[in-house]
Amino acid sequence: MSRIIRLALTALWLLAATTALAQTQKPLTNADVVTMTKNGFAPALIVKAIQSDATDFDVSAQALIDLKNAGVDQSVMEAMLAAQGNKPSAATEAAHGAASPPDAASNDPSKPPARRAEDASCETARKWC
């Protein structure tokens, strides 16, 4: 009976350890890609890692130049660009309203509608818009 309890506790500990590891795994970065390249990983393998893991790449022009100078294969850089391109940007989220809460006053029928900037410029110029 003691052996079964020990085995169950070991299995539980292993499950908890793997769950904790999965939750603390950091996203792939440019430095990770350079390290894999310098350690001789095949470009196809690095691309698969990029496609299957969370990523946080710097894909600025200077970063791409640095990657090329470090010997990173073009197919890997293309996968990095694609991974970053698939992420929603803060600007996209703001445009869709995800980043800012809706204005409660704008939905209140007892209040006059908010003035638009175009309306103010028309009044200032005393012209019809």
Side-chain angles (χ1 to χ4, degrees):
M1 186 69 160
S2 173
R3 187 173 197 194
I4 294 174
I5 292 174
R6 235 182 314 152
L7 184 61
L9 287 174
T10 302
L12 185 61
W13 181 83
L14 286 173
L15 179 64
T18 43
T19 303
L21 179 62
Q23 291 176 352
T24 60
Q25 188 175 18
K26 69 180 186 80
L28 284 176
T29 63
N30 293 34
D32 296 325
V33 170
V34 170
T35 300
M36 287 189 279
T37 299
K38 290 189 183 273
N39 282 305
F41 284 49
L45 182 65
I46 299 172
V47 168
K48 292 232 186 254
I50 290 168
Q51 293 170 342
S52 64
D53 292 339
T55 61
D56 185 23
F57 296 128
D58 176 2
V59 291
S60 65
Q62 185 58 53
L64 293 174
I65 291 168
D66 293 342
L67 289 166
K68 182 171 178 57
N69 290 338
V72 174
D73 190 79
Q74 183 171 341
S75 64
V76 173
M77 289 189 279
E78 289 171 359
M80 293 170 71
L81 286 165
Q84 285 304 106
N86 291 335
K87 287 185 175 184
S89 68
T92 303
E93 289 177 7
H96 291 19
S100 59
D103 185 11
S106 66
N107 294 330
D108 188 353
S110 66
K111 295 190 178 191
R115 298 180 67 156
R116 299 180 309 173
E118 302 89 37
D119 295 340
S121 64
C122 290
E123 290 175 10
T124 303
R126 299 217 188 287
K127 62 181 180 182
W128 292 95
C129 291

Short mmCIF file of all heavy atoms in Angstrom, two decimals, residues 1-13:
data_model
loop_
_atom_site.label_atom_id
_atom_site.label_comp_id
_atom_site.label_asym_id
_atom_site.label_seq_id
_atom_site.Cartn_x
_atom_site.Cartn_y
_atom_site.Cartn_z
N MET A 1 0.83 -1.20 0.00
CA MET A 1 0.00 0.00 0.00
C MET A 1 0.87 1.25 0.00
O MET A 1 0.56 2.21 -0.69
CB MET A 1 -0.92 -0.04 1.22
CG MET A 1 -1.91 1.07 1.23
SD MET A 1 -3.08 0.81 -0.10
CE MET A 1 -4.39 1.80 0.44
N SER A 2 1.95 1.21 0.76
CA SER A 2 2.86 2.36 0.83
C SER A 2 3.49 2.63 -0.54
O SER A 2 3.72 3.78 -0.90
CB SER A 2 3.93 2.08 1.87
OG SER A 2 4.90 3.09 1.84
N ARG A 3 3.75 1.57 -1.27
CA ARG A 3 4.34 1.72 -2.59
C ARG A 3 3.38 2.41 -3.55
O ARG A 3 3.79 3.26 -4.35
CB ARG A 3 4.71 0.33 -3.11
CG ARG A 3 5.48 0.34 -4.36
CD ARG A 3 5.92 -1.05 -4.68
NE ARG A 3 6.99 -1.02 -5.65
CZ ARG A 3 7.40 -2.04 -6.31
NH1 ARG A 3 6.85 -3.22 -6.07
NH2 ARG A 3 8.36 -1.95 -7.18
N ILE A 4 2.10 2.11 -3.48
CA ILE A 4 1.09 2.74 -4.33
C ILE A 4 0.97 4.22 -3.99
O ILE A 4 0.88 5.06 -4.90
CB ILE A 4 -0.27 2.02 -4.18
CG1 ILE A 4 -0.17 0.60 -4.73
CG2 ILE A 4 -1.37 2.79 -4.89
CD1 ILE A 4 -1.39 -0.24 -4.49
N ILE A 5 1.00 4.54 -2.74
CA ILE A 5 0.92 5.95 -2.33
C ILE A 5 2.14 6.71 -2.83
O ILE A 5 2.03 7.82 -3.36
CB ILE A 5 0.77 6.07 -0.79
CG1 ILE A 5 -0.60 5.53 -0.37
CG2 ILE A 5 0.92 7.52 -0.35
CD1 ILE A 5 -0.80 5.46 1.12
N ARG A 6 3.31 6.10 -2.69
CA ARG A 6 4.54 6.74 -3.16
C ARG A 6 4.49 6.96 -4.68
O ARG A 6 4.87 8.00 -5.19
CB ARG A 6 5.75 5.89 -2.79
CG ARG A 6 6.75 6.69 -2.02
CD ARG A 6 7.99 5.94 -1.67
NE ARG A 6 7.71 4.61 -1.14
CZ ARG A 6 8.51 3.58 -1.24
NH1 ARG A 6 9.65 3.69 -1.86
NH2 ARG A 6 8.20 2.42 -0.72
N LEU A 7 4.01 5.98 -5.39
CA LEU A 7 3.89 6.07 -6.84
C LEU A 7 2.89 7.17 -7.23
O LEU A 7 3.14 7.95 -8.14
CB LEU A 7 3.46 4.72 -7.42
CG LEU A 7 3.38 4.64 -8.94
CD1 LEU A 7 4.73 4.92 -9.57
CD2 LEU A 7 2.88 3.27 -9.36
N ALA A 8 1.77 7.23 -6.54
CA ALA A 8 0.75 8.25 -6.81
C ALA A 8 1.30 9.65 -6.53
O ALA A 8 1.08 10.59 -7.29
CB ALA A 8 -0.50 8.00 -6.00
N LEU A 9 2.03 9.79 -5.42
CA LEU A 9 2.62 11.09 -5.09
C LEU A 9 3.68 11.50 -6.11
O LEU A 9 3.76 12.67 -6.48
CB LEU A 9 3.21 11.06 -3.67
CG LEU A 9 2.21 11.05 -2.53
CD1 LEU A 9 2.93 10.88 -1.20
CD2 LEU A 9 1.38 12.31 -2.53
N THR A 10 4.45 10.55 -6.58
CA THR A 10 5.46 10.85 -7.60
C THR A 10 4.79 11.29 -8.89
O THR A 10 5.22 12.26 -9.53
CB THR A 10 6.35 9.61 -7.86
OG1 THR A 10 6.96 9.22 -6.63
CG2 THR A 10 7.40 9.90 -8.89
N ALA A 11 3.75 10.60 -9.29
CA ALA A 11 3.02 10.97 -10.50
C ALA A 11 2.40 12.36 -10.36
O ALA A 11 2.45 13.18 -11.29
CB ALA A 11 1.94 9.94 -10.80
N LEU A 12 1.86 12.65 -9.20
CA LEU A 12 1.28 13.96 -8.94
C LEU A 12 2.34 15.04 -8.99
O LEU A 12 2.14 16.11 -9.57
CB LEU A 12 0.56 13.95 -7.58
CG LEU A 12 -0.19 15.21 -7.21
CD1 LEU A 12 -1.29 15.49 -8.23
CD2 LEU A 12 -0.79 15.08 -5.83
N TRP A 13 3.51 14.77 -8.41
CA TRP A 13 4.61 15.73 -8.43
C TRP A 13 5.08 16.00 -9.86
O TRP A 13 5.32 17.13 -10.24
CB TRP A 13 5.77 15.22 -7.57
CG TRP A 13 6.91 16.18 -7.54
CD1 TRP A 13 7.05 17.27 -6.73
CD2 TRP A 13 8.06 16.16 -8.37
NE1 TRP A 13 8.21 17.92 -7.01
CE2 TRP A 13 8.87 17.26 -8.02
CE3 TRP A 13 8.50 15.31 -9.38
CZ2 TRP A 13 10.06 17.53 -8.64
CZ3 TRP A 13 9.71 15.60 -9.99
CH2 TRP A 13 10.48 16.69 -9.62
#
